[in-house]
Amino acid sequence: MKDYLIALEEIIEEQRQRIKRMEESSPLDLTLVPTIIVGIIPGDGIGPFIMDHTKKVLDHLLKEEIEEGKIEFRNIEGLTIENRAKEGKGLPPSCLNEIKKCHVLLKGPTETPDARANVMNIESANVALRRELDLFANVRPVTIPQKNIDWIFFRENTEGEYVLGSKGIELEGMALDFKVTTDRGTERICEAAFKYAKAKGNLKVSIVTKANIMKKTDGKFLKICYEVAQHYPSVPADDWYVDIMAANLLNPNRQSEYQVILTPNLYGDILTDEAAQLQGGVGTAGSGNIGDRYAMFEAIHGSAPRMVKMGRGKYANPSSLLKAAEMMLNHIGMTDKADKLKAALDETAKAMKMTGKGDGNTGEDYVTMVLSKI
Ligand code: IPM
Ligand code: MG
């Protein structure tokens, strides 16, 4: 058999195994866990800067819970670009081992070198973590009250273009990448979105695909979304192609029509950056990566290595990671603490001018104000 056919066989078998694991997985009830272990991963570039600020706020907010042993923060070492490049792995096994001993993770951005980089072309740590911990729902809220925008994206986080992103095939004169959509992988993200929409008083769910072109994969996604919708008759649902959705999200006459936005992986990646930009930039958005067993909360932006090289790390806006921390507090059931943090963040955001350079406020200014408002 030709090499590429053998590779394809392997890929399909791997996906079958993944489907089996998805079907066997069952959720962990965090309310039954006596000490919730929160793994702290600072990341690269501006990551350690914004993590220091965020950790300070969490230590203050959770002082009692830490003392009572209800929460333990644990530093995860070695998930840095230097160490990952040295080991030649996007996610070194020793890091993954430590990470798996935690319940939830708070993560700063990690650098993903592309094919042009001088370091080895390793896999994205994000993609590896999402896959290894099976964090299937990427939940990204974007709110702009003055424009009546209150969106929450449910982005499928483990399949689509990402699952085989590092396993494309190159043949003479051509390159092929693969996109994978499974029944179970789609059902579980749809269930998460519809369940959320129902719990929040029957918000509308807007499904985003390009099912007119990606007929098999997006076709399946769209079909399964509407099947799941049938179990939630009180939740309104509609669907859009991703191109017009990208336009509508920018259209002032349509923006407030949307509430829950349910999307496959890559479209969700792109639309959430667009949405975050409307909110004030990618530095302002937090995100949750939720699975049955683990959950990881992070900023949606990259590590901005250029900013650090130019000595501007101290001007990095920590609000993305602070918002991720707020989502984490909600996830572990500490909703009163999350509300307190949210109120402090909303007030601080109004007062601070974060330009990322010397003409604006520093991360330190930001966090000092957040702490004063809690
Ligand atoms: C995101 C990021 C990641 C993604 C990168 C860092 C792999 O852009 O979380 O949106 O593409 O998902
Ligand atoms: Mg992205």
Side-chain angles (χ1 to χ4, degrees):
M1 208 168 15
K2 293 205 162 62
D3 282 356
Y4 60 85
L5 289 178
I6 296 173
L8 195 57
E9 277 284 339
E10 265 172 33
I11 282 171
I12 291 172
E13 184 48 34
E14 249 175 49
Q15 294 308 303
R16 288 209 177 101
Q17 295 298 326
R18 190 171 67 83
I19 292 172
K20 214 164 140 222
R21 286 197 299 276
M22 279 193 269
E23 281 167 351
E24 284 165 359
S25 152
S26 63
L28 169 77
D29 185 353
L30 275 181
T31 61
L32 304 178
V33 173
T35 304
I36 296 178
I37 304 172
V38 180
I40 299 286
I41 305 174
D44 308 312
I46 58 170
F49 292 85
I50 60 176
M51 184 61 85
D52 271 356
H53 299 315
T54 305
K55 183 69 189 354
K56 219 182 261 173
V57 173
L58 283 174
D59 281 340
H60 174 73
L61 205 57
L62 299 174
K63 194 167 178 290
E64 267 171 42
E65 287 76 6
I66 295 169
E67 278 166 11
E68 288 165 5
K70 288 188 184 148
I71 295 253
E72 181 193 325
F73 285 106
R74 202 175 274 182
N75 285 324
I76 308 290
E77 313 279 340
L79 205 73
T80 58
I81 184 64
E82 294 80 14
N83 193 41
R84 288 182 295 129
K86 194 179 91 203
E87 296 208 13
K89 297 217 164 68
L91 177 56
S94 57
C95 293
L96 182 59
N97 249 341
E98 289 309 301
I99 285 170
K100 282 192 166 169
K101 294 178 193 157
C102 304
H103 297 102
V104 295
L105 301 156
L106 188 65
K107 179 183 158 298
T110 40
E111 192 176 335
T112 308
D114 69 18
R116 293 166 302 182
N118 286 328
V119 297
M120 190 193 236
N121 193 17
I122 49 173
E123 190 189 17
S124 146
N126 281 46
V127 173
L129 277 165
R130 290 167 187 172
R131 182 186 60 239
E132 293 301 323
L133 306 178
D134 203 20
L135 306 172
F136 62 85
N138 194 323
V139 182
R140 297 183 162 177
V142 166
T143 47
I144 313 170
Q146 62 280 20
K147 291 188 179 167
N148 207 11
I149 289 177
D150 196 359
W151 300 330
I152 185 156
F153 291 83
F154 278 73
R155 162 187 174 192
E156 201 294 318
N157 210 25
T158 48
E159 36 188 66
E161 297 78 357
Y162 280 68
V163 62
L164 297 174
S166 303
K167 296 201 173 163
I169 295 179
E170 261 195 287
L171 303 172
E172 177 88 45
M174 72 173 96
L176 287 87
D177 276 321
F178 302 104
K179 168 161 170 166
V180 183
T181 300
T182 66
D183 290 7
R184 184 61 202 137
T186 308
E187 270 160 25
R188 59 186 190 172
I189 184 67
C190 293
E191 273 156 13
F194 278 92
K195 201 168 150 197
Y196 177 89
K198 187 174 174 191
K200 295 287 171 182
N202 296 317
L203 301 176
K204 184 175 82 169
V205 177
S206 298
I207 306 155
V208 180
T209 68
K210 189 76 184 174
N212 50 342
I213 303 300
M214 293 275 103
K215 294 192 196 292
K216 294 282 182 247
T217 48
D218 284 3
K220 178 185 277 303
F221 193 91
L222 187 56
K223 179 169 157 278
I224 291 180
C225 284
Y226 277 119
E227 281 165 12
V228 170
Q230 286 184 356
H231 300 288
Y232 297 84
S234 59
V235 177
D238 58 13
D239 67 275
W240 303 84
Y241 295 138
V242 61
D243 47 352
I244 193 63
M245 188 57 147
N248 288 351
L249 293 183
L250 300 180
N251 182 345
N253 299 321
R254 310 215 61 159
Q255 286 169 325
S256 56
E257 274 176 36
Y258 301 109
Q259 294 173 321
V260 176
I261 300 160
L262 169 57
T263 147
N265 207 341
L266 184 60
Y267 311 143
D269 177 45
I270 298 164
L271 290 180
T272 52
D273 267 19
E274 182 190 48
Q277 187 58 39
L278 287 172
Q279 179 183 255
V282 290
T284 65
S287 95
N289 299 265
I290 320 281
D292 279 338
R293 168 65 182 80
Y294 299 99
M296 177 172 84
F297 298 86
E298 61 181 349
I300 81 161
H301 54 75
S303 60
R306 218 171 325 173
M307 230 175 129
V308 177
K309 262 184 224 133
M310 293 166 80
R312 293 197 271 112
K314 64 178 179 189
Y315 296 106
N317 188 344
S319 65
S320 52
L321 200 56
L322 284 161
K323 280 198 186 144
E326 178 202 323
M327 294 179 80
M328 182 188 84
L329 292 170
N330 274 317
H331 181 78
I332 61 178
M334 299 192 174
T335 47
D336 52 332
K337 306 270 175 181
D339 291 347
K340 254 194 200 172
L341 178 56
K342 181 181 183 337
L345 290 180
D346 286 349
E347 269 192 70
T348 306
K350 279 184 214 142
M352 289 282 137
K353 191 175 148 216
M354 303 304 288
T355 60
K357 39 186 205 282
D359 60 353
N361 284 109
T362 61
E364 182 79 45
D365 298 337
Y366 205 96
V367 84
T368 305
M369 179 148 189
V370 172
L371 285 169
S372 75
K373 303 273 176 201
I374 286 175

mmCIF file of all heavy atoms in Angstrom, residues 274-311:
data_model
loop_
_atom_site.group_PDB
_atom_site.id
_atom_site.type_symbol
_atom_site.label_atom_id
_atom_site.label_comp_id
_atom_site.label_asym_id
_atom_site.label_seq_id
_atom_site.Cartn_x
_atom_site.Cartn_y
_atom_site.Cartn_z
ATOM 1 N N GLU A 274 -12.815 38.324 16.217
ATOM 2 C CA GLU A 274 -13.567 39.462 15.665
ATOM 3 C C GLU A 274 -14.442 40.080 16.760
ATOM 4 O O GLU A 274 -14.454 41.304 16.966
ATOM 5 C CB GLU A 274 -14.447 38.991 14.497
ATOM 6 C CG GLU A 274 -15.209 40.137 13.857
ATOM 7 C CD GLU A 274 -16.277 39.682 12.861
ATOM 8 O OE1 GLU A 274 -17.066 38.777 13.181
ATOM 9 O OE2 GLU A 274 -16.310 40.253 11.773
ATOM 10 N N ALA A 275 -15.148 39.200 17.471
ATOM 11 C CA ALA A 275 -16.061 39.681 18.517
ATOM 12 C C ALA A 275 -15.290 40.376 19.627
ATOM 13 O O ALA A 275 -15.691 41.444 20.115
ATOM 14 C CB ALA A 275 -16.865 38.504 19.069
ATOM 15 N N ALA A 276 -14.156 39.785 20.009
ATOM 16 C CA ALA A 276 -13.349 40.378 21.088
ATOM 17 C C ALA A 276 -12.845 41.763 20.670
ATOM 18 O O ALA A 276 -12.768 42.686 21.481
ATOM 19 C CB ALA A 276 -12.181 39.471 21.431
ATOM 20 N N GLN A 277 -12.528 41.898 19.407
ATOM 21 C CA GLN A 277 -12.039 43.186 18.903
ATOM 22 C C GLN A 277 -13.118 44.267 19.069
ATOM 23 O O GLN A 277 -12.825 45.406 19.441
ATOM 24 C CB GLN A 277 -11.606 43.056 17.435
ATOM 25 C CG GLN A 277 -10.932 44.294 16.876
ATOM 26 C CD GLN A 277 -9.679 44.698 17.663
ATOM 27 O OE1 GLN A 277 -8.911 43.842 18.090
ATOM 28 N NE2 GLN A 277 -9.508 45.993 17.884
ATOM 29 N N LEU A 278 -14.373 43.879 18.830
ATOM 30 C CA LEU A 278 -15.470 44.842 19.003
ATOM 31 C C LEU A 278 -15.587 45.276 20.468
ATOM 32 O O LEU A 278 -15.980 46.392 20.768
ATOM 33 C CB LEU A 278 -16.806 44.196 18.599
ATOM 34 C CG LEU A 278 -17.052 43.971 17.112
ATOM 35 C CD1 LEU A 278 -18.319 43.146 16.932
ATOM 36 C CD2 LEU A 278 -17.193 45.305 16.400
ATOM 37 N N GLN A 279 -15.236 44.345 21.354
ATOM 38 C CA GLN A 279 -15.370 44.613 22.780
ATOM 39 C C GLN A 279 -14.238 45.495 23.310
ATOM 40 O O GLN A 279 -14.298 46.001 24.430
ATOM 41 C CB GLN A 279 -15.386 43.261 23.517
ATOM 42 C CG GLN A 279 -15.495 43.325 25.023
ATOM 43 C CD GLN A 279 -15.429 41.947 25.639
ATOM 44 O OE1 GLN A 279 -16.426 41.402 26.071
ATOM 45 N NE2 GLN A 279 -14.259 41.350 25.672
ATOM 46 N N GLY A 280 -13.189 45.651 22.528
ATOM 47 C CA GLY A 280 -12.082 46.483 22.995
ATOM 48 C C GLY A 280 -10.738 45.833 22.729
ATOM 49 O O GLY A 280 -9.704 46.312 23.188
ATOM 50 N N GLY A 281 -10.736 44.721 22.007
ATOM 51 C CA GLY A 281 -9.475 44.064 21.668
ATOM 52 C C GLY A 281 -9.402 42.665 22.248
ATOM 53 O O GLY A 281 -10.095 42.356 23.225
ATOM 54 N N VAL A 282 -8.534 41.844 21.634
ATOM 55 C CA VAL A 282 -8.431 40.460 22.126
ATOM 56 C C VAL A 282 -7.910 40.417 23.561
ATOM 57 O O VAL A 282 -8.145 39.451 24.279
ATOM 58 C CB VAL A 282 -7.554 39.568 21.196
ATOM 59 C CG1 VAL A 282 -8.244 39.298 19.885
ATOM 60 C CG2 VAL A 282 -6.181 40.183 20.966
ATOM 61 N N GLY A 283 -7.237 41.483 23.977
ATOM 62 C CA GLY A 283 -6.736 41.550 25.355
ATOM 63 C C GLY A 283 -7.839 41.675 26.394
ATOM 64 O O GLY A 283 -7.573 41.615 27.588
ATOM 65 N N THR A 284 -9.067 41.847 25.949
ATOM 66 C CA THR A 284 -10.155 42.042 26.916
ATOM 67 C C THR A 284 -11.020 40.797 27.108
ATOM 68 O O THR A 284 -11.984 40.825 27.867
ATOM 69 C CB THR A 284 -11.100 43.180 26.462
ATOM 70 O OG1 THR A 284 -11.748 42.764 25.231
ATOM 71 C CG2 THR A 284 -10.354 44.472 26.219
ATOM 72 N N ALA A 285 -10.705 39.724 26.381
ATOM 73 C CA ALA A 285 -11.619 38.569 26.408
ATOM 74 C C ALA A 285 -11.002 37.362 27.101
ATOM 75 O O ALA A 285 -9.843 37.030 26.875
ATOM 76 C CB ALA A 285 -12.014 38.204 24.979
ATOM 77 N N GLY A 286 -11.808 36.723 27.924
ATOM 78 C CA GLY A 286 -11.379 35.493 28.583
ATOM 79 C C GLY A 286 -12.106 34.312 27.972
ATOM 80 O O GLY A 286 -13.063 34.485 27.223
ATOM 81 N N SER A 287 -11.619 33.120 28.274
ATOM 82 C CA SER A 287 -12.301 31.967 27.708
ATOM 83 C C SER A 287 -12.152 30.747 28.599
ATOM 84 O O SER A 287 -11.191 30.617 29.354
ATOM 85 C CB SER A 287 -11.789 31.706 26.287
ATOM 86 O OG SER A 287 -10.776 30.755 26.255
ATOM 87 N N GLY A 288 -13.154 29.876 28.508
ATOM 88 C CA GLY A 288 -13.128 28.628 29.271
ATOM 89 C C GLY A 288 -13.077 27.463 28.307
ATOM 90 O O GLY A 288 -13.785 27.452 27.299
ATOM 91 N N ASN A 289 -12.209 26.502 28.595
ATOM 92 C CA ASN A 289 -12.142 25.265 27.810
ATOM 93 C C ASN A 289 -12.643 24.164 28.730
ATOM 94 O O ASN A 289 -11.954 23.791 29.683
ATOM 95 C CB ASN A 289 -10.704 24.950 27.415
ATOM 96 C CG ASN A 289 -10.084 26.033 26.550
ATOM 97 O OD1 ASN A 289 -10.092 25.944 25.336
ATOM 98 N ND2 ASN A 289 -9.565 27.084 27.175
ATOM 99 N N ILE A 290 -13.836 23.666 28.446
ATOM 100 C CA ILE A 290 -14.492 22.800 29.424
ATOM 101 C C ILE A 290 -14.623 21.383 28.885
ATOM 102 O O ILE A 290 -15.067 21.182 27.750
ATOM 103 C CB ILE A 290 -15.921 23.328 29.738
ATOM 104 C CG1 ILE A 290 -15.962 24.857 29.836
ATOM 105 C CG2 ILE A 290 -16.487 22.652 30.975
ATOM 106 C CD1 ILE A 290 -15.495 25.460 31.086
ATOM 107 N N GLY A 291 -14.267 20.426 29.725
ATOM 108 C CA GLY A 291 -14.473 19.020 29.382
ATOM 109 C C GLY A 291 -15.229 18.326 30.505
ATOM 110 O O GLY A 291 -15.662 18.974 31.456
ATOM 111 N N ASP A 292 -15.366 17.015 30.411
ATOM 112 C CA ASP A 292 -16.058 16.272 31.468
ATOM 113 C C ASP A 292 -15.237 16.222 32.751
ATOM 114 O O ASP A 292 -15.756 16.345 33.844
ATOM 115 C CB ASP A 292 -16.303 14.827 31.003
ATOM 116 C CG ASP A 292 -17.529 14.728 30.095
ATOM 117 O OD1 ASP A 292 -18.393 15.626 30.171
ATOM 118 O OD2 ASP A 292 -17.604 13.759 29.319
ATOM 119 N N ARG A 293 -13.927 16.044 32.600
ATOM 120 C CA ARG A 293 -13.077 15.821 33.772
ATOM 121 C C ARG A 293 -12.285 17.078 34.156
ATOM 122 O O ARG A 293 -12.084 17.359 35.323
ATOM 123 C CB ARG A 293 -12.142 14.642 33.475
ATOM 124 C CG ARG A 293 -10.980 14.416 34.440
ATOM 125 C CD ARG A 293 -11.463 14.031 35.838
ATOM 126 N NE ARG A 293 -10.341 13.857 36.762
ATOM 127 C CZ ARG A 293 -9.708 14.845 37.365
ATOM 128 N NH1 ARG A 293 -10.047 16.109 37.153
ATOM 129 N NH2 ARG A 293 -8.715 14.600 38.207
ATOM 130 N N TYR A 294 -11.816 17.815 33.147
ATOM 131 C CA TYR A 294 -10.960 18.978 33.385
ATOM 132 C C TYR A 294 -11.577 20.236 32.790
ATOM 133 O O TYR A 294 -12.443 20.156 31.912
ATOM 134 C CB TYR A 294 -9.582 18.784 32.737
ATOM 135 C CG TYR A 294 -8.803 17.609 33.270
ATOM 136 C CD1 TYR A 294 -8.772 16.395 32.572
ATOM 137 C CD2 TYR A 294 -8.103 17.702 34.464
ATOM 138 C CE1 TYR A 294 -8.057 15.305 33.063
ATOM 139 C CE2 TYR A 294 -7.385 16.617 34.961
ATOM 140 C CZ TYR A 294 -7.367 15.425 34.257
ATOM 141 O OH TYR A 294 -6.665 14.356 34.734
ATOM 142 N N ALA A 295 -11.085 21.369 33.261
ATOM 143 C CA ALA A 295 -11.454 22.643 32.631
ATOM 144 C C ALA A 295 -10.245 23.563 32.697
ATOM 145 O O ALA A 295 -9.497 23.556 33.685
ATOM 146 C CB ALA A 295 -12.639 23.271 33.350
ATOM 147 N N MET A 296 -10.044 24.314 31.637
ATOM 148 C CA MET A 296 -8.889 25.214 31.584
ATOM 149 C C MET A 296 -9.375 26.605 31.166
ATOM 150 O O MET A 296 -10.119 26.745 30.205
ATOM 151 C CB MET A 296 -7.905 24.671 30.550
ATOM 152 C CG MET A 296 -6.689 25.531 30.314
ATOM 153 S SD MET A 296 -5.511 24.660 29.263
ATOM 154 C CE MET A 296 -6.161 25.045 27.650
ATOM 155 N N PHE A 297 -8.930 27.607 31.906
ATOM 156 C CA PHE A 297 -9.390 28.973 31.650
ATOM 157 C C PHE A 297 -8.191 29.809 31.191
ATOM 158 O O PHE A 297 -7.117 29.715 31.786
ATOM 159 C CB PHE A 297 -10.043 29.532 32.913
ATOM 160 C CG PHE A 297 -11.250 28.711 33.280
ATOM 161 C CD1 PHE A 297 -11.126 27.557 34.054
ATOM 162 C CD2 PHE A 297 -12.500 29.034 32.778
ATOM 163 C CE1 PHE A 297 -12.233 26.749 34.332
ATOM 164 C CE2 PHE A 297 -13.610 28.239 33.049
ATOM 165 C CZ PHE A 297 -13.473 27.101 33.828
ATOM 166 N N GLU A 298 -8.403 30.593 30.154
ATOM 167 C CA GLU A 298 -7.258 31.309 29.586
ATOM 168 C C GLU A 298 -7.696 32.587 28.873
ATOM 169 O O GLU A 298 -8.872 32.810 28.625
ATOM 170 C CB GLU A 298 -6.513 30.398 28.605
ATOM 171 C CG GLU A 298 -7.362 29.944 27.443
ATOM 172 C CD GLU A 298 -6.632 29.011 26.476
ATOM 173 O OE1 GLU A 298 -5.411 28.859 26.565
ATOM 174 O OE2 GLU A 298 -7.321 28.444 25.610
ATOM 175 N N ALA A 299 -6.679 33.393 28.558
ATOM 176 C CA ALA A 299 -6.894 34.566 27.708
ATOM 177 C C ALA A 299 -7.081 34.060 26.282
ATOM 178 O O ALA A 299 -6.585 32.994 25.944
ATOM 179 C CB ALA A 299 -5.650 35.446 27.784
ATOM 180 N N ILE A 300 -7.791 34.813 25.444
ATOM 181 C CA ILE A 300 -7.967 34.288 24.081
ATOM 182 C C ILE A 300 -6.830 34.720 23.146
ATOM 183 O O ILE A 300 -6.742 34.271 22.020
ATOM 184 C CB ILE A 300 -9.344 34.635 23.445
ATOM 185 C CG1 ILE A 300 -9.383 36.045 22.860
ATOM 186 C CG2 ILE A 300 -10.496 34.402 24.371
ATOM 187 C CD1 ILE A 300 -10.531 36.197 21.842
ATOM 188 N N HIS A 301 -5.970 35.600 23.619
ATOM 189 C CA HIS A 301 -4.935 36.128 22.722
ATOM 190 C C HIS A 301 -3.623 35.348 22.842
ATOM 191 O O HIS A 301 -3.471 34.478 23.694
ATOM 192 C CB HIS A 301 -4.687 37.600 23.042
ATOM 193 C CG HIS A 301 -4.358 37.840 24.488
ATOM 194 N ND1 HIS A 301 -3.135 37.537 25.020
ATOM 195 C CD2 HIS A 301 -5.118 38.312 25.503
ATOM 196 C CE1 HIS A 301 -3.156 37.841 26.315
ATOM 197 N NE2 HIS A 301 -4.340 38.298 26.630
ATOM 198 N N GLY A 302 -2.685 35.709 22.002
ATOM 199 C CA GLY A 302 -1.380 35.061 21.998
ATOM 200 C C GLY A 302 -0.434 35.677 23.020
ATOM 201 O O GLY A 302 -0.828 36.525 23.831
ATOM 202 N N SER A 303 0.846 35.270 22.949
ATOM 203 C CA SER A 303 1.791 35.630 24.005
ATOM 204 C C SER A 303 2.528 36.944 23.725
ATOM 205 O O SER A 303 3.309 37.394 24.550
ATOM 206 C CB SER A 303 2.801 34.499 24.177
ATOM 207 O OG SER A 303 3.494 34.311 22.954
ATOM 208 N N ALA A 304 2.286 37.543 22.578
ATOM 209 C CA ALA A 304 2.879 38.850 22.209
ATOM 210 C C ALA A 304 4.374 38.937 22.513
ATOM 211 O O ALA A 304 4.807 39.859 23.213
ATOM 212 C CB ALA A 304 2.109 39.987 22.895
ATOM 213 N N PRO A 305 5.182 38.016 21.987
ATOM 214 C CA PRO A 305 6.619 38.026 22.303
ATOM 215 C C PRO A 305 7.289 39.348 21.929
ATOM 216 O O PRO A 305 8.217 39.795 22.609
ATOM 217 C CB PRO A 305 7.188 36.860 21.482
ATOM 218 C CG PRO A 305 6.126 36.436 20.525
ATOM 219 C CD PRO A 305 4.818 36.909 21.081
ATOM 220 N N ARG A 306 6.770 39.993 20.862
ATOM 221 C CA ARG A 306 7.360 41.256 20.421
ATOM 222 C C ARG A 306 7.244 42.324 21.517
ATOM 223 O O ARG A 306 8.147 43.111 21.739
ATOM 224 C CB ARG A 306 6.632 41.740 19.171
ATOM 225 C CG ARG A 306 7.563 42.364 18.173
ATOM 226 C CD ARG A 306 6.872 42.646 16.864
ATOM 227 N NE ARG A 306 5.870 41.631 16.523
ATOM 228 C CZ ARG A 306 5.043 41.735 15.490
ATOM 229 N NH1 ARG A 306 5.073 42.783 14.705
ATOM 230 N NH2 ARG A 306 4.173 40.785 15.224
ATOM 231 N N MET A 307 6.092 42.301 22.198
ATOM 232 C CA MET A 307 5.868 43.287 23.260
ATOM 233 C C MET A 307 6.928 43.140 24.360
ATOM 234 O O MET A 307 7.455 44.127 24.869
ATOM 235 C CB MET A 307 4.482 43.020 23.868
ATOM 236 C CG MET A 307 3.612 44.224 23.963
ATOM 237 S SD MET A 307 1.995 43.769 24.557
ATOM 238 C CE MET A 307 1.855 44.955 25.873
ATOM 239 N N VAL A 308 7.223 41.893 24.693
ATOM 240 C CA VAL A 308 8.193 41.642 25.766
ATOM 241 C C VAL A 308 9.591 42.017 25.299
ATOM 242 O O VAL A 308 10.354 42.649 26.039
ATOM 243 C CB VAL A 308 8.117 40.167 26.221
ATOM 244 C CG1 VAL A 308 9.169 39.874 27.281
ATOM 245 C CG2 VAL A 308 6.726 39.860 26.753
ATOM 246 N N LYS A 309 9.915 41.683 24.057
ATOM 247 C CA LYS A 309 11.244 42.025 23.515
ATOM 248 C C LYS A 309 11.465 43.534 23.540
ATOM 249 O O LYS A 309 12.568 44.020 23.732
ATOM 250 C CB LYS A 309 11.375 41.500 22.077
ATOM 251 C CG LYS A 309 12.119 40.173 22.030
ATOM 252 C CD LYS A 309 12.342 39.707 20.601
ATOM 253 C CE LYS A 309 12.029 38.222 20.500
ATOM 254 N NZ LYS A 309 11.183 37.877 19.368
ATOM 255 N N MET A 310 10.401 44.290 23.330
ATOM 256 C CA MET A 310 10.527 45.747 23.329
ATOM 257 C C MET A 310 10.406 46.332 24.738
ATOM 258 O O MET A 310 10.290 47.554 24.897
ATOM 259 C CB MET A 310 9.464 46.362 22.406
ATOM 260 C CG MET A 310 9.692 46.019 20.938
ATOM 261 S SD MET A 310 8.244 46.408 19.944
ATOM 262 C CE MET A 310 8.460 48.171 19.755
ATOM 263 N N GLY A 311 10.391 45.450 25.738
ATOM 264 C CA GLY A 311 10.343 45.905 27.131
ATOM 265 C C GLY A 311 8.988 46.441 27.549
ATOM 266 O O GLY A 311 8.867 47.203 28.501
#
